[in-house]
mmCIF file of all heavy atoms in Angstrom:
data_model
loop_
_atom_site.group_PDB
_atom_site.id
_atom_site.type_symbol
_atom_site.label_atom_id
_atom_site.label_comp_id
_atom_site.label_asym_id
_atom_site.label_seq_id
_atom_site.Cartn_x
_atom_site.Cartn_y
_atom_site.Cartn_z
ATOM 1 N N HIS A 350 -1.794 60.087 21.110
ATOM 2 C CA HIS A 350 -2.554 59.137 20.297
ATOM 3 C C HIS A 350 -1.583 58.167 19.627
ATOM 4 O O HIS A 350 -1.205 58.338 18.465
ATOM 5 C CB HIS A 350 -3.377 59.870 19.236
ATOM 6 C CG HIS A 350 -4.464 60.731 19.786
ATOM 7 N ND1 HIS A 350 -5.795 60.547 19.491
ATOM 8 C CD2 HIS A 350 -4.427 61.802 20.634
ATOM 9 C CE1 HIS A 350 -6.530 61.456 20.113
ATOM 10 N NE2 HIS A 350 -5.718 62.227 20.814
ATOM 11 N N ALA A 351 -1.163 57.153 20.360
ATOM 12 C CA ALA A 351 -0.128 56.233 19.879
ATOM 13 C C ALA A 351 -0.766 54.958 19.332
ATOM 14 O O ALA A 351 -0.902 53.957 20.039
ATOM 15 C CB ALA A 351 0.855 55.908 21.001
ATOM 16 N N TRP A 352 -1.163 55.006 18.063
ATOM 17 C CA TRP A 352 -1.668 53.796 17.410
ATOM 18 C C TRP A 352 -0.490 52.908 17.059
ATOM 19 O O TRP A 352 0.465 53.343 16.422
ATOM 20 C CB TRP A 352 -2.461 54.154 16.154
ATOM 21 C CG TRP A 352 -3.768 54.806 16.473
ATOM 22 C CD1 TRP A 352 -4.080 56.124 16.333
ATOM 23 C CD2 TRP A 352 -4.935 54.175 17.011
ATOM 24 N NE1 TRP A 352 -5.368 56.365 16.758
ATOM 25 C CE2 TRP A 352 -5.925 55.184 17.172
ATOM 26 C CE3 TRP A 352 -5.247 52.864 17.358
ATOM 27 C CZ2 TRP A 352 -7.189 54.911 17.668
ATOM 28 C CZ3 TRP A 352 -6.510 52.597 17.854
ATOM 29 C CH2 TRP A 352 -7.471 53.610 18.001
ATOM 30 N N ASN A 353 -0.586 51.649 17.477
ATOM 31 C CA ASN A 353 0.549 50.749 17.310
ATOM 32 C C ASN A 353 0.408 49.835 16.106
ATOM 33 O O ASN A 353 1.315 49.718 15.287
ATOM 34 C CB ASN A 353 0.731 49.915 18.584
ATOM 35 C CG ASN A 353 1.840 48.898 18.464
ATOM 36 O OD1 ASN A 353 1.602 47.701 18.513
ATOM 37 N ND2 ASN A 353 3.076 49.362 18.291
ATOM 38 N N ARG A 354 -0.721 49.166 15.977
ATOM 39 C CA ARG A 354 -0.920 48.237 14.861
ATOM 40 C C ARG A 354 -2.222 48.551 14.146
ATOM 41 O O ARG A 354 -3.260 48.753 14.784
ATOM 42 C CB ARG A 354 -0.941 46.784 15.365
ATOM 43 C CG ARG A 354 0.410 46.282 15.843
ATOM 44 C CD ARG A 354 0.316 44.816 16.243
ATOM 45 N NE ARG A 354 1.614 44.240 16.564
ATOM 46 C CZ ARG A 354 2.176 44.253 17.766
ATOM 47 N NH1 ARG A 354 1.539 44.824 18.773
ATOM 48 N NH2 ARG A 354 3.359 43.696 17.964
ATOM 49 N N PRO A 355 -2.186 48.560 12.809
ATOM 50 C CA PRO A 355 -3.419 48.785 12.052
ATOM 51 C C PRO A 355 -4.304 47.547 12.102
ATOM 52 O O PRO A 355 -3.820 46.437 12.349
ATOM 53 C CB PRO A 355 -2.902 49.033 10.628
ATOM 54 C CG PRO A 355 -1.600 48.287 10.567
ATOM 55 C CD PRO A 355 -1.006 48.390 11.948
ATOM 56 N N PRO A 356 -5.601 47.698 11.863
ATOM 57 C CA PRO A 356 -6.470 46.524 11.815
ATOM 58 C C PRO A 356 -6.034 45.572 10.700
ATOM 59 O O PRO A 356 -5.532 45.995 9.663
ATOM 60 C CB PRO A 356 -7.858 47.114 11.524
ATOM 61 C CG PRO A 356 -7.762 48.552 11.929
ATOM 62 C CD PRO A 356 -6.350 48.951 11.670
ATOM 63 N N MET A 357 -6.237 44.289 10.928
ATOM 64 C CA MET A 357 -5.896 43.262 9.939
ATOM 65 C C MET A 357 -7.173 42.589 9.454
ATOM 66 O O MET A 357 -8.011 42.177 10.257
ATOM 67 C CB MET A 357 -4.971 42.217 10.562
ATOM 68 C CG MET A 357 -4.734 40.984 9.706
ATOM 69 S SD MET A 357 -3.744 39.752 10.603
ATOM 70 C CE MET A 357 -3.997 38.298 9.559
ATOM 71 N N THR A 358 -7.306 42.506 8.138
ATOM 72 C CA THR A 358 -8.413 41.766 7.539
ATOM 73 C C THR A 358 -7.830 40.792 6.523
ATOM 74 O O THR A 358 -6.649 40.859 6.174
ATOM 75 C CB THR A 358 -9.406 42.713 6.843
ATOM 76 O OG1 THR A 358 -8.707 43.481 5.853
ATOM 77 C CG2 THR A 358 -10.048 43.655 7.847
ATOM 78 N N LEU A 359 -8.648 39.883 6.054
ATOM 79 C CA LEU A 359 -8.206 38.920 5.043
ATOM 80 C C LEU A 359 -8.152 39.649 3.698
ATOM 81 O O LEU A 359 -9.146 39.765 2.990
ATOM 82 C CB LEU A 359 -9.163 37.729 4.980
ATOM 83 C CG LEU A 359 -8.766 36.602 4.021
ATOM 84 C CD1 LEU A 359 -7.466 35.948 4.462
ATOM 85 C CD2 LEU A 359 -9.878 35.559 3.934
ATOM 86 N N ASN A 360 -6.962 40.161 3.357
ATOM 87 C CA ASN A 360 -6.832 40.926 2.125
ATOM 88 C C ASN A 360 -6.808 40.005 0.903
ATOM 89 O O ASN A 360 -6.753 38.780 1.010
ATOM 90 C CB ASN A 360 -5.589 41.832 2.171
ATOM 91 C CG ASN A 360 -4.294 41.043 2.355
ATOM 92 O OD1 ASN A 360 -4.188 39.887 1.964
ATOM 93 N ND2 ASN A 360 -3.295 41.688 2.947
ATOM 94 N N ALA A 361 -6.847 40.617 -0.270
ATOM 95 C CA ALA A 361 -6.916 39.842 -1.516
ATOM 96 C C ALA A 361 -5.686 38.967 -1.707
ATOM 97 O O ALA A 361 -5.773 37.882 -2.300
ATOM 98 C CB ALA A 361 -7.075 40.798 -2.699
ATOM 99 N N ALA A 362 -4.548 39.422 -1.200
ATOM 100 C CA ALA A 362 -3.322 38.643 -1.346
ATOM 101 C C ALA A 362 -3.314 37.426 -0.427
ATOM 102 O O ALA A 362 -2.676 36.411 -0.746
ATOM 103 C CB ALA A 362 -2.110 39.531 -1.063
ATOM 104 N N SER A 363 -3.994 37.509 0.704
ATOM 105 C CA SER A 363 -3.954 36.432 1.696
ATOM 106 C C SER A 363 -5.017 35.369 1.486
ATOM 107 O O SER A 363 -4.865 34.241 1.960
ATOM 108 C CB SER A 363 -4.096 37.021 3.105
ATOM 109 O OG SER A 363 -3.044 37.930 3.388
ATOM 110 N N ALA A 364 -6.094 35.702 0.805
ATOM 111 C CA ALA A 364 -7.181 34.738 0.623
ATOM 112 C C ALA A 364 -6.714 33.459 -0.079
ATOM 113 O O ALA A 364 -7.061 32.349 0.364
ATOM 114 C CB ALA A 364 -8.331 35.384 -0.140
#
Side-chain angles (χ1 to χ4, degrees):
H350 294 240
W352 289 106
N353 177 244
R354 290 183 173 89
M357 170 185 166
T358 57
L359 184 64
N360 60 28
S363 300

